[in-house]
């Protein structure tokens, strides 16, 4: 049953159920509550001039706001609590969905004076929210906490909307924030999704590769952007095989996808995506930047840094071609480098991730983590 439900969710369809199938319906009240709150906040946006002005300043038009269900959570401690928490059972549902917070025997709204972005699952049901403050308050961005419905390491913002716009996703672009995904959609780029305040995980990548073989990550060109790209690379390695393509786009420093597409337009962003750096090229460039490639010691060090990364890649054509590229960089034949790496029997197989793939790498010199100097 779990396999059928997982497949149905990935494909965005409902599983037929009988009236007696109560376990599968145990969260219906929570889904209904979240949808009701989302509609309430959409109404609040329409009735709040300051919120409307902020959305317009960010380049979001009415049709885009409607498509993504964007709303506004009013200022105050108990707007949602007063409207939806009229009984102990209702308060429990608000707590279970992360809409309110309990502290010192009192309850108050989690989202206050924020533009809110409903986060939807593959079937279009609201499972959580992201909120952006209108001013300079902290935190600037706030997401729903982990709940029985929402797991940020699994969900991708905008995936439902992308699949509604494009029934066949030839490629998907992954960005870091929901404002980026919305801005790209506003400019006709309907294949952008966003992670939700977390690094790209193996579960994210599995979900992406079920829909397309062409994934491109678009990050800021600063140090933080390159670190995020490296984490995505490490988690992608166990899932790489022939036919799949992973690329990385690093925008000019000071730009994120939102600001870039608003300043330079759709064609410039699509050109940047088309010219993105291939995963293999990014891997070798980052490791080579840590060593002196003019010396034997440096090239040997490059091979050593590459060892744990190459071992993550499943056996196959992609694995062999990457070893050949590394061999050329270090000045060895591919068979010699393969033997030295001990990569003839990779740890992982296609479609799986090892325990280490989802961990944050250590900061020591043997992890293959890009230099941040």
């Amino acid at each position: 049953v779990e396999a059928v439900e997982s497949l149905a969710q990935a494909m965005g369809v409902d599983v037929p159920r009988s009236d007696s199938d109560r376990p599968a319906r145990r969260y219906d009240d929570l889904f209904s509550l979240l949808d009701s709150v989302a509609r309430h906040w959409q109404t609040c946006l329409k009735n709040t001039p300051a919120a409307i002005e902020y959305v317009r300043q960010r380049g979001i038009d009415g049709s885009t706001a409607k498509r993504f269900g964007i709303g506004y959570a009013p200022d105050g401690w108990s707007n949602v609590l007063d409207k939806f928490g009229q009984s102990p059972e209702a308060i429990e549902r608000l707590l279970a969905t992360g809409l309110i917070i309990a502290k010192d025997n009192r309850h108050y709204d989690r989202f206050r004076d924020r533009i809110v972005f409903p986060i939807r699952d593959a079937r279009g049901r609201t499972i959580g929210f992201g909120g952006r403050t209108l001013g300079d308050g902290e935190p600037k961005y706030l997401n729903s906490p982990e709940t029985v419905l929402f797991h940020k390491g699994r969900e991708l913002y905008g995936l439902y909307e992308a699949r509604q716009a494009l029934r066949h996703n030839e490629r998907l672009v992954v960005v870091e924030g929901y404002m980026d995904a919305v801005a790209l959609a506003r400019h006709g780029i309907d294949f952008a999704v966003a992670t939700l305040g977390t690094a790209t995980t193996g579960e994210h990548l599995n979900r992406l590769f079920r829909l397309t073989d062409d994934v491109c990550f678009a990050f800021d060109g600063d140090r933080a952007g390159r670190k995020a790209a490296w984490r995505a690379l490490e988690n992608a390695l166990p899932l790489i095989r022939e036919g799949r393509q992973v690329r990385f786009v690093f925008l000019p420093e000071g730009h994120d996808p939102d600001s870039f597409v608003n300043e330079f337009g759709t064609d410039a962003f699509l050109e940047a995506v088309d010219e993105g750096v291939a995963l293999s090229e990014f891997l070798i460039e980052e490791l080579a930047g840590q060593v002196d490639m003019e010396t034997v010691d440096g090239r040997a060090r490059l091979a050593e840094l590459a060892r744990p990364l190459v071992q993550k890649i499943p056996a196959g054509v992609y694995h062999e071609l990457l070893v050949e590229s590394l061999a050329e960089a270090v000045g060895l034949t591919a068979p010699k480098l393969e033997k030295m790496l001990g990569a003839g029997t990779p740890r992982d197989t296609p479609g799986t991730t090892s325990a280490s793939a989802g961990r944050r790498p250590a900061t020591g010199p043997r992890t293959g983590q890009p230099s941040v100097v």
Side-chain angles (χ1 to χ4, degrees):
V1 174
E2 289 181 357
V4 171
E5 290 180 338
S6 177
L7 179 61
Q9 185 180 36
M11 300 306 296
V13 299
D14 290 322
V15 178
R17 304 186 186 282
S18 66
D19 291 338
S20 61
D21 189 8
R22 294 302 177 190
R25 303 166 66 92
R26 62 192 181 277
Y27 298 137
D28 282 0
D29 288 346
L30 301 184
F31 285 120
S32 178
L33 172 62
L34 288 167
D35 283 335
S36 296
V37 173
R39 290 193 297 271
H40 168 64
W41 280 338
Q42 289 161 23
T43 300
C44 291
L45 174 62
K46 296 176 184 178
N47 297 328
T48 309
I52 294 174
E53 181 60 23
Y54 176 84
V55 169
R56 287 176 176 170
Q57 288 178 357
R58 295 303 300 263
I60 301 173
D61 59 11
S63 62
T64 303
K66 182 178 180 180
R67 174 184 170 189
F68 284 88
I70 297 172
Y72 170 69
D75 201 4
W77 294 98
S78 60
N79 179 268
V80 165
L81 183 62
D82 292 342
K83 187 173 181 64
F84 297 96
Q86 297 301 313
S87 69
E89 293 79 11
I91 290 175
E92 286 300 316
R93 287 192 289 271
L94 290 171
L95 287 168
T97 52
L99 289 167
I100 63 173
I101 297 171
K103 186 176 181 181
D104 299 330
N105 296 318
R106 301 184 65 182
H107 299 95
Y108 60 91
D109 289 2
R110 181 179 299 275
F111 295 95
R112 306 180 303 276
D113 193 26
R114 290 177 180 271
I115 301 298
V116 285
F117 301 79
I119 302 164
R120 294 163 171 161
D121 66 9
R123 292 164 58 182
R125 300 174 300 186
T126 302
I127 56 176
F129 295 94
R132 205 287 186 193
T133 180
L134 273 67
D136 298 324
E138 293 293 337
K140 182 182 295 186
Y141 295 99
L142 179 68
N143 289 328
S144 291
E146 296 279 314
T147 70
V148 293
L149 303 182
F150 175 59
H151 307 281
K152 64 183 180 181
R154 183 186 306 164
E155 302 297 336
L156 290 158
Y157 177 78
L159 187 57
Y160 171 77
E161 289 79 6
R163 297 194 64 199
Q164 292 301 110
L166 303 168
R167 299 309 299 175
H168 176 63
N169 299 100
E170 294 184 358
R171 62 178 170 178
L172 288 168
V173 174
V174 183
V175 296
E176 290 191 276
Y178 27 78
M179 286 298 299
D180 294 323
V182 170
L184 292 176
R186 166 71 177 85
H187 286 79
I189 301 171
D190 291 317
F191 46 89
V193 299
T195 54
L196 294 159
T198 183
T200 306
T201 67
E203 288 188 86
H204 287 146
L205 288 156
N206 266 317
R207 179 160 291 188
L208 292 167
F209 282 133
R210 289 192 195 110
L211 301 175
T212 182
D213 287 327
D214 188 348
V215 176
C216 182
F217 294 92
F219 293 109
D220 304 358
D222 57 12
R223 183 172 67 175
R226 297 191 77 86
K227 287 183 68 175
W230 188 259
R231 289 194 295 270
L233 177 147
E234 289 190 303
N235 285 330
L237 291 176
L239 302 172
I240 289 295
R241 60 174 180 258
E242 51 272 22
R244 288 180 174 177
Q245 179 171 258
V246 175
R247 286 170 293 159
F248 297 88
V249 172
F250 297 103
L251 300 174
E253 191 157 357
H255 279 291
D256 54 24
D258 179 7
S259 64
F260 185 90
V261 75
N262 279 312
E263 182 170 343
F264 300 108
T266 303
D267 291 341
F269 185 83
L270 292 176
E271 183 179 351
V273 169
D274 290 337
E275 296 177 355
V277 179
L279 181 147
S280 57
E281 183 180 347
F282 177 47
L283 185 152
I284 295 173
E285 283 183 355
E286 285 295 316
L287 297 185
Q290 300 181 55
V291 302
D292 183 357
M293 293 296 291
E294 299 300 319
T295 66
V296 171
D297 289 348
R299 293 194 296 273
R301 180 69 180 138
L302 170 62
E304 184 65 22
L305 290 172
R307 182 199 302 271
L309 302 170
V310 172
Q311 288 178 341
K312 290 183 178 184
I313 303 173
V317 174
Y318 191 95
H319 178 99
E320 293 178 4
L321 292 175
L322 179 58
V323 171
E324 286 183 4
S325 296
L326 279 167
E328 183 178 351
V330 301
L332 291 174
T333 64
K336 285 184 177 179
L337 181 61
E338 182 88 27
K339 183 177 180 180
M340 190 189 82
L341 294 175
T345 54
R347 302 185 294 199
D348 301 290
T349 55
T352 66
T353 56
S354 67
S356 63
R359 273 189 217 129
R360 289 188 65 178
T363 55
R366 292 185 177 272
T367 62
Q369 184 175 349
S371 171
V372 294
V373 176

